[in-house]
Amino acid sequence: MDGCLEASLSPLSIPEYVLGCSGRRMPLLGFGTAASPPVGSQLTKTAILQAIELGYRHFDTASLYGTEQPLGEAILEAIAVGLIKSRDELFITSKLWCSDAHGELVLPALRRSLKNLRLEYLDLYLIHWPVSSKPGIYEFPIKQEDFLAMDFKAVWKAMEDCQRLGLTKSIGVSNFSCKKLGDILAFAKIPPAVNQVELNPLWQQKKLREFCKANGILLTAYAPLGAQGTIWGSNRVLECELLKEIAKQKGKTVAQICLRWAYEQGISILVKSFNKDRMKSNLEIFNWSLSQEDVKKINDIPQSRLCSGQDYISKYGPFNTTQELWDGEI
Ligand code: NAP
């Protein structure tokens, strides 16, 4: 990898990774803003302000989530009340939605996201899913007949242009398999800096982790706790007996065990909680470690995806099955 892991000066000392392409420091534990069901702008803004106060500096949003606007407002307020001095202290990620994943629509979509966020630049802009849909239609779930195969070359070139224009410091992808990453790497002038995917003790992504490491791509975990309570996740991670046992022995929560384990895998992590106590305890993972024995036990947990990507499967294509979506990595 180009970057390096470093202790940071942020209040709770969240270690950071320096993205080689931009030199920007990405805090390795970030704050997710996708609530399911959505909770509205005011609650989202309040949660983000609390998170900034507690020491989170990395925020993950997407045009799909409807959280760009409250995040933008929270950033302005955080500066106004002195929680941070400037936007430059934050690392902000947003994502390109499927209906904008067409060469000529990428730049306008990024400009819209920046307007929502009231920012001049993003730190990281990601292709949300490796599939396109009919332009001009913003709905989720996407109708089966609206899916289209993505023109990877045209979309990636437009992403590169966004970075060249300085509107985003880095670019990357999300929900890409090793095969699809390989396809992008084959023609990319600027390689993806990040691949954001589901990763937790029940879906450890060993193959993808190795592929990303070998190719200098930082893997970022979403649903590190299994996204309990959301429409895309389940309680299987937080209810896992082995994780409960390890948590009990160490006097930690199951969530802390999951986050610490992910951190020890040399990846970055996004975790979402809009509850102040849970936000705080999710940060408390950097001054202790798991034993080798615990790590081995976790690594031996039988594997299965929680977030199957079923919403991106269509009988009209381009992906008729989850096998095709993930290129057999299931
Ligand atoms: P997650 O962080 O694994 O789980 C979030 C859920 O766990 C929420 O219901 C939260 O509820 C609960 N929770 C948080 N901390 C807890 C704790 N200490 N103990 C018990 N429950 C806890 O899943 P996620 O939200 O799916 O993933 C994180 C972020 O990744 C998202 O918010 C989003 O920004 C991003 N993401 C990206 C994609 C993609 O396709 N690229 C997909 C999914 C997510 P409370 O809020 O009530 O605490």
Side-chain angles (χ1 to χ4, degrees), residues 36-58:
S36 167
V39 296
S41 287
Q42 194 51 47
L43 278 177
T44 305
K45 182 180 159 189
T46 304
I48 293 167
L49 275 167
Q50 285 175 338
I52 295 177
E53 198 175 352
L54 286 170
Y56 288 89
R57 292 292 179 268
H58 170 181

Side-chain angles (χ1 to χ4, degrees), residues 30-36 59-62 65 67 95 126-129 173-175 196-200 221-230 232-233 238 253-256 259 270-279 281-282 307 312:
F31 188 84
T33 64
S36 167
F59 292 85
D60 181 77
T61 182
Y65 302 162
T67 56
K95 310 186 194 88
L126 304 178
I127 299 177
H128 205 149
W129 283 87
V173 296
S174 177
N175 297 300
Q196 189 188 116
V197 295
E198 178 195 348
L199 198 153
N200 51 55
Y222 73 68
L225 311 180
Q228 167 176 271
T230 71
W232 57 89
L238 292 181
T253 66
V254 175
Q256 287 170 327
L259 297 171
L270 299 167
V271 63
K272 176 263 169 188
S273 178
F274 284 3
N275 170 287
K276 199 169 181 183
D277 292 335
R278 290 193 285 277
M279 268 181 220
S281 75
N282 290 345
C307 310
Y312 300 87

Side-chain angles (χ1 to χ4, degrees), residues 60 67-68 105 115 129 149 151 169 205 213-214 234 261 315:
D60 181 77
T67 56
E68 289 177 328
L105 299 183
K115 197 171 169 209
W129 283 87
D151 180 343
K169 302 286 181 193
Q205 300 269 24
K213 197 171 174 198
S234 91
W261 169 82
K315 63 179 173 193

